[in-house]
Amino acid sequence: MSNKKISTVRGMHDIYGTSFFKQRDIIESFIKVASLFNFTPMNTPIMEHSEVFLRTLGDSSDVVMKEMYSFFDKSDDSITLRPEGTAGIARALISNGFTQNLPQKYFYYGPMFRYERPQQGRLRQFNQVGLEFFGKGSYLEDCEVIRAAHHFLIDLGIQKDVVLKINTIGKLDSRKNFIKEIKNYFNKNKKKLSSDSLKRLDRNPLRILDSKAPEDKELLETAPIIYNFLKQEEIESFENVKSTLESIGISFTLDPYLVRGLDYYSDTTFEYTLKKNDKFAVLAGGRYDNLIKELGGEKIPGVGWAAGIERIENLILKNPSIKLPIVLIPTNEKYMNYVLNISNKLYFKNIKNQILDHFNLKKSLKYANKINVKIALIIGDEEFKKTKISYKNLESGSQFTLTEKELFEKIKNE
RNA sequence: GCGACUGUAGCUCAGUUGGUUAGAGCGCUGGUUUGUGGUACCGGAGGCCGUGGGUUCGAAACCCAUCAGUCGCCCCA
């Protein structure tokens, strides 16, 4: 055993200080908005049987192929740390028999795990907030979750930094036909395809659509387009989504190349990406009509989204204030009871306070100044003798000696 | 998973073509001031130079490996 300093697991970070408070604010804002839309909270376990994700995310998806945090537990069961939240919620719906009673609206938040190469905005343990709407598959549900996303982003004050992109990838049958066609198309133009997309051609040809390689983008200009493969009701539903969003003033751009990385999606897909970097999704989701069925339930359609807390955090520039209004400074341990008593009274008035136990006025004031305290209450020999308290405003430097009653009067007026 | 760059004190970084006991600023700490903070001045602590190997008389510096971070790709929230 060496004396090497211990560190976190790669891609996993300690969250503390302003970052913690920012994350808490984001979650609080999310809870507020989701609750106003009558989504109810649900916590599913951080681990699931690997099957839950294998059956839903798709064998060819990168998440399953290389990013799952999977291991065998002591009973030799294959367990996976959840890479995303939707599959777990869907599983819970089935496990608890909630599918009998629709619609069901849930929100969740918590850590997710993906075994990826860490970089900016991409961690191995990261936090998401998300919500899911299980119902009858109406376009109104799509609009409802997008509306919730819209208000969430406004509440966070980052709506100006993002744009909403939407698309439809149709239902399974239509999509199959479309995939067949683009496969043909790209096969004919194999030579012009980028090497990355060549690999995607067999595995997941849909992904070629959102390729960033210039040679692919050129090919895409004359490629078949999904909308020509959709059935009438699929088109109608998507048109309804668009017109409803327009009518309530949620602007979006249509992106026919927006496809999602997870197999369970169908029909409407959407993404809020950064204005300054449109590859970077802050909040993303879509409809998934086969997910519950894949997990052995009935065919219940759902729609939802998830947002990365750390990615949102990076957009919020304002640091939450963590100021401490009051410190109590006894100059001698003998006065602790007196000071504890006052601290308790402050507590009952919901005033954050801390007792400094240097028993050294100078050190205490120095420390109080360092942590940016507004008021210092000093209890020393003179104060104790007269059962008074010295009230010192550290910003102005002014100081008064007050009775306890006067003190609480003064604090109330501040 | 692929490619590039980086790793020296708690933090931000210097460290000349390899050469004695590795530096600065900020921070921390003690004092000038034994009941008054912020300012000033004077002291102090704190580093196996990410880790492991190699080259060399000699390595923070050069080579290899490994770990971690950053950036790009893949992918994604």
Side-chain angles (χ1 to χ4, degrees):
Chain A
M1 233 18 205
S2 71
N3 288 325
K4 209 179 97 178
K5 226 190 247 178
I6 197 90
S7 65
T8 57
V9 173
R10 185 173 199 190
M12 304 194 178
H13 294 319
D14 302 316
I15 301 162
Y16 53 89
T18 53
S19 176
F20 186 100
F21 289 109
K22 271 188 180 177
Q23 294 202 6
R24 194 184 62 180
D25 289 350
I26 292 164
I27 292 166
E28 276 174 3
S29 159
F30 172 71
I31 292 173
K32 186 182 87 186
V33 174
S35 301
L36 285 169
F37 277 80
N38 198 34
F39 286 83
T40 57
M42 160 126 54
N43 264 339
T44 61
I46 284 168
M47 297 182 223
E48 295 277 358
H49 294 295
S50 299
E51 213 191 341
V52 170
F53 304 110
L54 292 174
R55 272 158 73 169
T56 57
L57 303 183
D59 308 337
S60 64
S61 71
D62 274 54
V63 171
V64 167
M65 294 223 309
K66 63 178 196 190
E67 295 171 7
M68 295 248 285
Y69 246 105
S70 299
F71 61 93
F72 290 97
D73 69 8
K74 289 181 180 177
S75 318
D76 252 355
D77 289 328
S78 179
I79 303 292
T80 296
L81 263 48
R82 61 182 185 194
E84 57 98 46
T86 305
I89 298 282
R91 194 231 76 237
L93 220 65
I94 298 169
S95 308
N96 297 295
F98 294 155
T99 52
Q100 298 292 314
N101 187 17
L102 297 175
Q104 297 273 348
K105 301 165 77 176
Y106 292 104
F107 73 83
Y108 62 87
Y109 58 88
M112 306 294 163
F113 303 83
R114 289 184 199 175
Y115 195 87
E116 297 185 87
R117 183 97 174 240
Q119 54 183 262
Q120 183 66 244
R122 201 174 73 182
L123 300 164
R124 287 191 174 179
Q125 176 174 339
F126 59 102
N127 292 286
Q128 282 190 336
V129 298
L131 49 81
E132 315 292 346
F133 191 151
F134 301 92
K136 57 183 183 183
S138 153
Y139 72 92
L140 288 168
E141 296 161 3
D142 301 32
C143 293
E144 189 75 346
V145 299
I146 293 174
R147 196 158 67 93
H150 177 75
H151 286 297
F152 175 47
L153 294 167
I154 289 176
D155 196 70
L156 293 169
I158 58 170
Q159 201 219 7
K160 58 187 185 324
D161 302 317
V162 295
V163 285
L164 172 61
K165 291 192 217 163
I166 68 169
N167 188 30
T168 177
I169 55 170
K171 295 204 190 301
L172 204 57
D173 286 346
S174 313
R175 194 160 61 248
K176 268 185 189 157
N177 291 332
F178 172 61
I179 289 173
K180 206 186 283 171
E181 274 307 303
I182 55 166
K183 229 172 164 171
N184 276 338
Y185 172 80
F186 286 121
N187 258 316
K188 271 185 268 172
N189 297 287
K190 242 179 174 170
K191 300 179 292 292
K192 294 186 200 161
L193 220 48
S194 71
S195 58
D196 277 328
S197 286
L198 214 52
K199 276 179 244 159
R200 288 188 274 231
L201 193 52
D202 278 323
R203 212 178 79 206
N204 198 348
L206 220 48
R207 289 240 64 99
I208 300 176
L209 297 184
D210 68 353
S211 170
K212 289 120 205 165
E215 57 265 47
D216 295 342
K217 281 191 167 166
E218 206 184 308
L219 270 179
L220 281 169
E221 280 171 24
T222 52
I225 206 143
I226 179 82
Y227 306 138
N228 296 328
F229 294 80
L230 300 181
K231 295 201 183 78
Q232 189 55 36
E233 74 252 34
E234 291 166 12
I235 291 174
E236 254 171 44
S237 175
F238 188 54
E239 289 304 319
N240 280 335
V241 171
K242 289 194 289 182
S243 62
T244 305
L245 290 178
E246 270 164 12
S247 73
I248 54 175
I250 295 178
S251 51
F252 57 85
T253 56
L254 194 61
D255 182 352
Y257 302 134
L258 176 67
V259 291
R260 313 255 60 245
L262 311 176
D263 271 15
Y264 56 60
Y265 283 109
S266 58
D267 294 298
T268 312
T269 62
F270 58 91
E271 232 173 56
Y272 279 91
T273 56
L274 288 190
K275 270 183 190 161
K276 57 180 179 184
N277 178 2
D278 74 338
K279 284 177 285 189
F280 210 73
V282 167
L283 183 155
R287 178 159 282 289
Y288 42 88
D289 286 353
N290 296 304
L291 179 61
I292 304 268
K293 206 175 158 204
E294 292 292 333
L295 286 169
E298 301 157 63
K299 189 168 161 57
I300 292 169
V303 59
W305 51 258
I309 293 181
E310 284 82 0
R311 287 187 176 183
I312 290 173
E313 187 191 334
N314 287 336
L315 297 177
I316 296 175
L317 305 172
K318 198 183 75 191
N319 280 328
S321 147
I322 44 177
K323 239 188 163 180
L324 176 62
I326 294 183
V327 289
L328 296 103
I329 305 178
T331 60
N332 191 303
E333 199 165 354
K334 288 186 290 193
Y335 310 139
M336 262 319 238
N337 284 346
Y338 185 32
V339 167
L340 284 165
N341 196 268
I342 294 167
S343 175
N344 264 342
K345 286 178 180 163
L346 288 167
Y347 166 81
F348 284 118
K349 291 186 186 301
N350 286 325
I351 298 168
K352 181 156 83 168
N353 67 91
Q354 181 180 333
I355 299 170
L356 303 184
D357 63 353
H358 300 98
F359 304 125
N360 176 320
L361 186 56
K362 188 186 166 113
K363 276 188 189 173
S364 293
L365 284 171
K366 207 166 182 171
Y367 178 76
N369 190 61
K370 199 171 67 192
I371 61 173
N372 209 1
V373 171
K374 195 177 162 200
I375 293 159
L377 301 180
I378 302 163
I379 287 94
D381 299 336
E382 290 162 35
E383 289 86 354
F384 187 75
K385 239 180 272 168
K386 300 182 203 155
T387 57
K388 288 196 171 181
I389 297 129
S390 284
Y391 170 107
K392 186 178 176 79
N393 185 319
L394 291 176
E395 282 159 6
S396 65
S398 62
Q399 182 169 335
F400 318 90
T401 301
L402 308 169
T403 65
E404 209 177 295
K405 200 176 164 194
E406 288 165 340
L407 172 72
F408 283 102
E409 272 307 301
K410 181 142 183 75
I411 287 169
K412 209 170 81 184
N413 296 332
E414 292 269 326

